[in-house]
Amino acid sequence: MSIVAAFMVPHPPLIIPAVGQGREEEVRETIDSYLAVAEEIAKARPETIIISSPHATMYSDYFHISPGYGARGNFGDFGARQVDFDVKYDVSLRERICKLAEEADFPAGTMGERKPALDHGTMVPLYYILKKYTGFKMIRIGLSGLSLADHYRLGEMIRQAVEEAGRRVVYVASGDLSHKLQDYGPYGYAPEGPEYDRRIMDVAGRGAFDEMLRFDDDFCDRAAECGHRSFVMMAGALDGVSVSTRVYSHQDVTGVGYGICSFYPGDPDPERHFREAYLREQEEKAEALADQSDAYVRLARKSLESYILRREVIGLPEDLPPEMYSRRAGAFVSIHKEGRLRGCIGTILPTEDSVAEEIIQNAISASTRDPRFEPIRPEELTLLEINVDVLGEPENIDSPDQLDVKRYGVIVSSGGRRGLLLPDLEGVDTVEDQIDIARRKAGIGPREKVKLQRFEVVRHR
């Protein structure tokens, strides 16, 4: 057997009558759609229901799959402790998913549980499912800060595990849409909010899962959605097959978007291996960028590729511009993947005999030693965009008025603590923001006296 059906559903506690206390009638259309979905799940008669939830344990670089034999939960956080749940986990299917992840050196498993109790992103779907169907086991999966392609890939592993186990499974992707649809809503309004809801409902209605992979992270952040990665993971679980879709409802009356859709798999379709196609597209973009890169960036790429593939530190090439051998300077290597930061480490002042050697060492550090990220894996190399910033000599300044976020980077010092921020960074629009971020990077409090320095950079792409 395999995934027999998948559903995209929201999770507002408001729609639980004991929580809503009558206000749930504001979203009656959503409730009626939920009941219809529960009927569909009952007809599918799954042995196991897999729920991906944005409110389960979540890490920036790891997918958490709930461990143990089961879990309990209730709506006590929402004033309705009497609405409670006690579910059993499908242990053998979960272990099969984890084994596939381990074999692929993919960051998913049962380590590091912080929230053993069921979260509301899981309990809201369960509330309506259990009205129509019981006797199933469950798997609960959290999201991560990893790329959309990685979420899709975990979905593919889920599908493979289900097929190998011979389970009859329904996948439920829990997630609200934008939280910024109305001025009167709890999170206010942003123009990206309605646009996100329009786009995701259109994509879901057409089963165009490839387009889910192309939603820009910044756009999603501005829209304040919480379910997109859950929907992408579900899409991966339906990779390689045709799907028939149905849009049940979409509501935005509370200022938060609630969308409900169903997806039923059909025949194999080789045109619907969307992650493979997306990665090919990203590889082509990365190759085009590499072809346009100057000697500084080519050296950084050569250095990190050699270290990641062979654990070898390259020697100085013989064909570099003369100034790369003769000049000493601090340098930062910044690595992006699919538009998102993947590593950035550098030196404020020179530590090597030449800027070329500085780049070689910092490229290795940025790709394998940035504490914010897991080391870059070999399969990611063709997807990387690399920048090299060569720093000018730091200059003491007396006032923030002598800074310019586009032209100058800033160094903020207090005692032995020092924080640096490069110039011309996306999302850093004011000098105040620049100084504040540099303070936080150094662990310097907002009221502590600091020494300010500025520096210019030459940015190589």
Side-chain angles (χ1 to χ4, degrees):
M1 299 300 295
S2 185
I3 310 288
V4 295
F7 299 89
M8 176 176 128
V9 299
H11 50 243
L14 169 73
I15 65 174
I16 307 302
V19 175
Q21 296 290 313
R23 284 196 61 213
E24 69 273 12
E25 291 303 318
E26 297 175 22
V27 287
R28 169 51 58 181
E29 185 180 357
T30 295
I31 291 173
D32 290 343
S33 296
Y34 240 124
L35 291 169
V37 162
E39 291 276 10
E40 291 294 311
I41 291 174
K43 291 178 184 176
R45 302 191 62 80
E47 300 167 85
T48 302
I49 295 177
I50 297 174
I51 299 180
S52 54
S53 168
H55 299 284
T57 298
M58 179 174 175
Y59 291 98
S60 63
D61 56 1
Y62 182 77
F63 292 96
H64 182 264
I65 305 173
S66 294
Y69 292 95
R72 303 186 63 140
N74 61 63
F75 281 100
D77 289 344
F78 303 94
R81 186 172 296 277
Q82 70 275 21
V83 184
D84 60 358
F85 304 86
D86 185 355
V87 301
K88 303 300 181 186
Y89 287 144
D90 187 335
V91 176
S92 62
L93 179 56
R94 182 188 65 213
E95 289 179 349
R96 192 175 291 268
I97 295 170
C98 292
K99 185 173 184 293
L100 288 174
E102 182 181 6
E103 290 173 348
D105 194 25
F106 185 81
T110 57
M111 297 187 298
E113 181 165 63
R114 295 191 305 236
K115 301 176 182 177
L118 297 174
D119 63 285
H120 76 270
T122 300
M123 291 189 293
V124 171
L126 282 177
Y127 177 85
Y128 283 96
I129 293 169
L130 289 169
K131 283 181 172 295
K132 304 293 183 179
Y133 185 64
T134 60
F136 58 88
K137 291 185 178 180
M138 208 186 88
I139 291 176
R140 180 173 63 144
I141 303 177
L143 311 182
S144 81
L146 295 168
S147 71
L148 295 180
D150 284 330
H151 284 75
Y152 194 100
R153 187 181 180 197
L154 180 54
E156 292 176 293
M157 291 181 184
I158 290 168
R159 174 183 173 83
Q160 180 180 345
V162 168
E163 291 176 345
E164 290 177 356
R167 288 287 195 284
R168 188 174 181 83
V169 170
V170 161
Y171 192 110
V172 175
S174 176
D176 294 339
L177 308 187
S178 172
H179 288 62
K180 292 192 174 184
L181 297 178
Q182 305 288 354
D183 288 327
Y184 58 74
Y187 304 92
Y189 173 82
E192 292 84 2
E195 177 63 11
Y196 175 82
D197 275 32
R198 184 197 65 76
R199 284 180 60 188
I200 194 63
M201 293 306 294
D202 172 63
V203 165
R206 292 184 288 112
F209 297 154
D210 56 325
E211 296 179 33
M212 285 188 184
L213 290 166
R214 291 170 173 81
F215 276 60
D216 180 77
D217 283 331
D218 289 336
F219 169 73
C220 289
D221 288 343
R222 291 193 293 270
E225 56 74 29
C226 82
H228 196 80
R229 285 171 169 77
S230 185
F231 309 151
V232 171
M233 197 185 299
M234 173 203 69
L238 297 174
D239 182 71
V241 296
S242 63
V243 295
S244 59
T245 66
R246 176 182 172 186
V247 174
Y248 291 78
S249 62
H250 171 253
Q251 288 194 279
D252 63 359
V253 295
T254 68
V256 179
Y258 307 141
I260 298 184
C261 303
S262 66
F263 308 90
Y264 282 89
D267 297 328
D269 185 343
E271 298 299 316
R272 291 182 64 87
H273 291 297
F274 293 131
R275 185 178 66 91
E276 293 178 7
Y278 173 76
L279 292 178
R280 284 196 300 272
E281 178 184 305
Q282 296 301 310
E283 288 169 0
E284 290 170 2
K285 289 180 179 178
E287 288 171 5
L289 286 171
D291 291 341
Q292 299 167 14
S293 299
D294 66 10
Y296 291 75
V297 174
R298 290 197 299 272
L299 178 62
R301 184 179 293 276
K302 183 177 181 180
S303 173
L304 68 87
E305 287 179 348
S306 174
Y307 192 81
I308 291 168
L309 292 173
R310 296 179 292 277
R311 286 295 184 264
E312 293 178 359
V313 179
I314 64 171
L316 272 177
E318 298 180 354
D319 57 350
L320 300 176
E323 72 270 13
M324 294 183 71
Y325 302 108
S326 60
R327 181 184 177 190
R328 299 183 73 229
F332 273 73
V333 176
S334 303
I335 305 168
H336 288 77
K337 175 187 172 186
E338 300 170 28
R340 303 181 70 199
L341 185 66
R342 188 65 178 84
C344 179
I345 284 183
T347 44
I348 299 172
L349 297 172
T351 61
E352 303 289 338
D353 292 335
S354 68
V355 70
E357 292 165 282
E358 205 82 29
I359 292 167
I360 288 171
Q361 294 299 326
N362 291 345
I364 293 170
S365 295
S367 59
T368 63
R369 299 170 190 153
D370 189 326
R372 297 168 295 179
F373 304 99
E374 289 291 308
I376 288 173
R377 302 185 299 273
E379 63 267 25
E380 297 179 86
L381 289 175
T382 56
L383 304 177
L384 304 180
E385 300 172 19
I386 300 170
N387 296 332
V388 174
D389 288 306
V390 178
L391 278 59
E393 192 74 22
E395 173 187 6
N396 295 331
I397 59 174
D398 301 320
S399 164
D401 294 338
Q402 295 172 273
L403 288 170
D404 180 328
V405 293
K406 297 298 183 184
R407 179 179 177 184
Y408 296 112
V410 66
I411 302 170
V412 179
S413 305
S414 178
R417 294 167 295 167
R418 183 165 60 176
L420 175 147
L421 199 69
L422 296 170
D424 197 19
L425 296 178
E426 186 176 356
V428 182
D429 301 316
T430 68
V431 168
E432 291 76 15
D433 288 342
Q434 190 181 40
I435 293 174
D436 180 59
I437 295 169
R439 277 180 175 271
R440 284 188 273 123
K441 289 177 71 174
I444 300 172
R447 297 183 180 179
E448 294 186 67
K449 290 184 179 180
V450 293
K451 173 185 174 182
L452 294 177
Q453 295 175 290
R454 71 183 186 185
F455 60 90
E456 293 185 274
V457 305
V458 177
R459 181 157 293 167
H460 300 267
R461 302 181 185 276

